[in-house]
Amino acid sequence: MTSSPQRAESLSKKEDLGDSTSSSEKVPTSTLKDLEYSRDVSDQRTDQGPGVGEARVAKVDGNGRAIHTIRGMKPRHLQLMAIGGTIGTGLFVGTGGALIDSGPLSLLLGFILYSGMVWCVSQCTGEITTMLPLEGGFTHHSGRFVDPAVGFAQSWNYVYGTMTFLCAELSAISGLFSYWAPEVSPAVWISIGLVVIFTMNCMGSRVYGECEFWFASFKVILILGLIMMTFIMMVGGNPQHEAFGFTYWRNPGPMAEFIETGPLGRFLGLWNTLIFAAFAIGGPEYISIAAGEAINPREVIPKAIRRVFWRLCFFYIVGALCVGILVAYNDPALIAATSEGKGAAASPFVVALKNRGIGGLDHLINALILTSAWSCGSSFTFCGVRGLHSMSLDGRAPKIFSRTIGGTPIFALLFMCSVGLLSFMVVDQGSAKVFSWFVNLSACSSLLNYILIIITWLRFNEGLKAQGIPRSSLPFRGLFMPYSAWISLVGMTLITLFNGFEIFIHGHWDLQGFFTAYFGLGLFLVLFVGWKLVKRTSFIKPSEMDFHSGKAEIDLDQAYWEANKVAPTTAWQKFVEWLL
């Protein structure tokens, strides 16, 4: 007798690739049950619309041990995480250092340019992930459409990147707590941060998603509050009743000179903001990784991808504009606070409040930034754990990382948190210095991942053409493709190659700086060449690319939700569906 997955695979191959909206007559509910689906009817009352209450049963290996995650992440969870999941201390605190080095105009232009490139990456991610929202996300796709060796190297590069991001946020957490209790050892705060992050991630995707939903909500509220505060202060709503507007853009000026003087120094300042933006701005890869545990991914992912544009514009770009309005890049208080790295004291928003004689709000801002750092650290832990889990299932990491408890890859989570112990270096080196190390390490990893996502899409597109699959059949189609993909590929490649430009300028050579700027690139090359030599892999021909494996289950899942979709009836329900 043919097994359920085999029946689903046969069904998928008989149908057109783009027939992802099959009716309920084509796909009966009993078939879904055969595919190891179960419905939590009690959860149907808590949310409206498709995708609620459906969870994939955790599959087991030959010894009866659970090895697969569970689709327990609701639409509102993924939407809020897409909006604010990766917004952390880079925006709220780190922009102070970028402003000092580059000036307000360079900071704004750098964020605009890099946000545009990230948006292009999101279009690539959206097309592939919506069609195949599988465990491992984009790291699985690169091994499937480019080369297994690329998939192996990218997987480990991404996991390494999430580890450095986690360590960066933990070092920032120690600085944030030190703002209130500087006499307490940073090791105490890092320990507390790790315990909270571990607890959030070991409770399963549904509980984790709920925690991240509220953390992301706090971040959105914080950003909105800071933007409103900037506008009120610049038009005269401050104790001095001074409508200072864009005063700091005129004096000391819009662009700071970095390392060199004159036009070259101003250009280097602009380039420096692009490198910092690679640390501060992210998101598309997070959606791709989380898609493997999202309910009704075919409907939720396109909405999340479309919201990336507004998140980039409103939060990052407007946030960078506010920073340049509030504080001068040569402000002594900002320079002193940034060098010490004591939590909110290094935030340009807090420096602006103190400069204008507004007290009390700094503690509230510090508390909200703290929740933001925790949320961001937890998000990268979630992604890193899922990356390890997917690699283990594909035979690219130790099998123990495939083991799950309640849908959580517990051993992968323990490994991620153990690497987070590197953050204890702040005890000897100081949070500001260690934070800068991890910023450089994570920026290179992030840039490389985006480059590989774009290359994967280019190969994916070649496969569609070779196999006669029209792009019109895709569940989601990116805008301005393939031009947006090529533009972002060129931009990301240039930033990666010149990531450590500072150390090559005469008199600034630094072995430590070279290591932190290019370690990720070296690691990827070693892993790629090593796996290719050992496994003797080859680049996948477009005509031989696999567009079917795993797709049948997703098609059936979508058909179920299409057949059981509950249309909103009240004005409030319609608003919530539009918003989320």
Side-chain angles (χ1 to χ4, degrees):
M1 182 175 179
T2 307
S3 64
S4 304
Q6 288 173 333
R7 290 202 306 272
E9 189 69 22
S10 300
L11 176 63
S12 175
K13 291 182 178 180
K14 289 178 182 178
E15 296 179 352
D16 190 325
L17 181 68
D19 189 15
S20 57
T21 57
S22 305
S23 65
S24 57
E25 288 79 16
K26 288 184 180 180
V27 189
T29 305
S30 59
T31 307
L32 289 173
K33 291 180 180 178
D34 289 342
L35 281 171
E36 298 182 294
Y37 274 78
S38 65
R39 189 167 192 179
D40 180 3
V41 181
S42 63
D43 206 38
Q44 184 78 10
R45 298 187 295 270
T46 62
D47 283 280
Q48 297 295 326
V52 179
E54 191 76 7
R56 183 180 63 220
V57 175
K59 299 178 184 178
V60 298
D61 61 12
N63 298 317
R65 294 186 292 246
I67 59 172
H68 281 269
T69 56
I70 297 174
R71 290 194 184 275
M73 198 170 289
K74 300 178 184 178
R76 62 184 177 90
H77 294 160
L78 190 62
Q79 296 300 339
L80 259 294
M81 286 185 283
I83 292 173
T86 57
I87 298 176
T89 52
L91 177 61
F92 300 122
V93 179
T95 46
L99 178 66
I100 293 170
D101 292 336
S102 307
L105 179 59
S106 295
L107 179 63
L108 178 61
L109 290 176
F111 270 50
I112 290 174
L113 292 172
Y114 193 78
S115 293
M117 287 183 265
V118 172
W119 178 83
C120 294
V121 174
S122 73
Q123 302 306 295
C124 299
T125 305
E127 285 200 2
I128 307 178
T129 304
T130 304
M131 191 184 85
L132 294 169
L134 304 174
E135 292 173 294
F138 63 89
T139 60
H140 170 83
H141 300 147
S142 61
R144 185 165 176 162
F145 297 115
V146 184
D147 186 326
V150 173
F152 171 77
Q154 184 183 17
S155 297
W156 278 107
N157 175 74
Y158 179 66
V159 170
Y160 146 77
T162 58
M163 291 174 180
T164 58
F165 273 113
L166 170 62
C167 292
E169 295 301 331
L170 286 171
S171 63
I173 286 173
S174 70
L176 290 163
F177 272 116
S178 297
Y179 183 73
W180 290 318
E183 70 282 355
V184 178
S185 172
V188 175
W189 310 128
I190 292 175
S191 300
I192 294 174
L194 271 173
V195 169
V196 172
I197 290 173
F198 175 81
T199 303
M200 286 178 60
N201 276 270
C202 72
M203 290 183 177
S205 60
R206 180 167 298 187
V207 175
Y208 165 82
E210 195 67 30
C211 294
E212 274 299 297
F213 173 84
W214 291 107
F215 274 134
S217 299
F218 292 150
K219 280 191 273 191
V220 172
I221 293 171
L222 174 59
I223 294 173
L224 291 175
L226 293 175
I227 293 173
M228 292 177 60
M229 180 195 76
T230 301
F231 177 75
I232 293 171
M233 289 179 64
M234 71 182 292
V235 298
N238 54 75
Q240 293 80 26
H241 303 291
E242 178 187 358
F244 55 87
F246 287 84
T247 298
Y248 300 127
W249 285 57
R250 295 189 297 270
N251 183 26
M255 304 182 79
E257 296 174 344
F258 185 64
I259 301 178
E260 299 289 337
T261 59
L264 177 59
R266 290 189 289 272
F267 172 77
L268 293 178
L270 173 60
W271 192 261
N272 188 57
T273 62
L274 291 172
I275 298 170
F276 172 76
F279 165 77
I281 302 175
E285 73 281 14
Y286 184 80
I287 298 172
S288 180
I289 292 292
E293 296 179 59
I295 294 173
N296 195 15
R298 284 268 175 83
E299 180 171 322
V300 176
I301 294 171
K303 290 183 178 180
I305 291 295
R306 293 186 185 103
R307 283 162 174 75
V308 167
F309 173 78
W310 301 108
R311 175 176 61 85
L312 292 171
C313 289
F314 192 75
F315 295 146
Y316 288 111
I317 296 176
V318 176
L321 176 63
C322 291
V323 168
I325 291 173
L326 290 173
V327 189
Y329 67 76
N330 62 351
D331 187 289
L334 178 64
I335 296 173
T338 303
S339 62
E340 295 174 2
K342 295 298 183 182
S347 170
F349 297 101
V350 172
V351 171
L353 288 172
K354 291 184 175 181
N355 287 347
R356 297 290 166 181
I358 302 174
L361 287 179
D362 54 330
H363 295 288
L364 175 61
I365 293 176
N366 193 68
L368 291 174
I369 295 176
L370 180 61
T371 63
S372 175
W374 247 319
S375 167
C376 201
S378 181
S379 296
F380 287 117
T381 301
F382 176 90
C383 292
V385 168
R386 269 58 189 178
L388 277 172
H389 175 258
S390 174
M391 285 193 294
S392 181
L393 292 177
D394 293 339
R396 296 178 291 183
K399 285 295 182 184
I400 193 171
F401 292 145
S402 66
R403 296 273 301 277
T404 64
I405 297 178
T408 300
I410 190 65
F411 293 103
L413 176 58
L414 288 170
F415 178 75
M416 277 288 297
C417 290
S418 65
V419 174
L421 298 175
L422 291 173
S423 304
F424 284 105
M425 289 190 295
V426 303
V427 177
D428 290 331
Q429 301 292 336
S431 59
K433 187 173 184 179
V434 174
F435 181 77
S436 66
W437 291 346
F438 287 121
V439 165
N440 291 335
L441 288 167
S442 55
C444 181
S445 172
S446 180
L447 286 163
L448 189 54
N449 274 319
Y450 285 159
I451 290 172
L452 294 171
I453 287 174
I454 300 167
I455 292 174
T456 300
W457 181 87
L458 292 172
R459 297 290 298 159
F460 168 84
N461 193 45
E462 287 297 316
L464 293 178
K465 293 178 181 178
Q467 298 186 29
I469 301 172
R471 280 178 47 79
S472 58
S473 67
L474 297 177
F476 171 84
R477 293 184 297 279
L479 299 176
F480 311 117
M481 304 293 274
Y483 308 107
S484 55
W486 282 107
I487 291 172
S488 57
L489 177 61
V490 172
M492 295 282 184
T493 302
L494 289 174
I495 297 173
T496 303
L497 294 177
F498 296 99
N499 175 34
F501 73 94
E502 184 178 351
I503 61 178
F504 296 109
I505 297 177
H506 180 69
H508 289 85
W509 169 257
D510 180 14
L511 182 60
Q512 176 182 290
F514 178 82
F515 178 83
T516 56
Y518 294 106
F519 176 77
L521 184 59
L523 175 66
F524 172 81
L525 292 175
V526 169
L527 292 172
F528 170 72
V529 174
W531 191 259
K532 200 165 186 62
L533 291 175
V534 172
K535 298 294 184 178
R536 299 191 178 280
T537 64
S538 59
F539 286 97
I540 301 171
K541 297 178 181 179
S543 59
E544 298 176 357
M545 291 180 183
D546 180 10
F547 290 97
H548 297 284
S549 298
K551 181 176 176 293
E553 180 180 338
I554 307 302
D555 290 344
L556 292 170
D557 178 59
Q558 184 189 11
Y560 177 88
W561 290 112
E562 287 292 329
N564 293 275
K565 185 173 183 177
V566 180
T569 56
T570 67
W572 172 251
Q573 289 174 350
K574 292 178 181 179
F575 173 75
V576 171
E577 183 178 53
W578 171 82
L579 182 65
L580 300 178

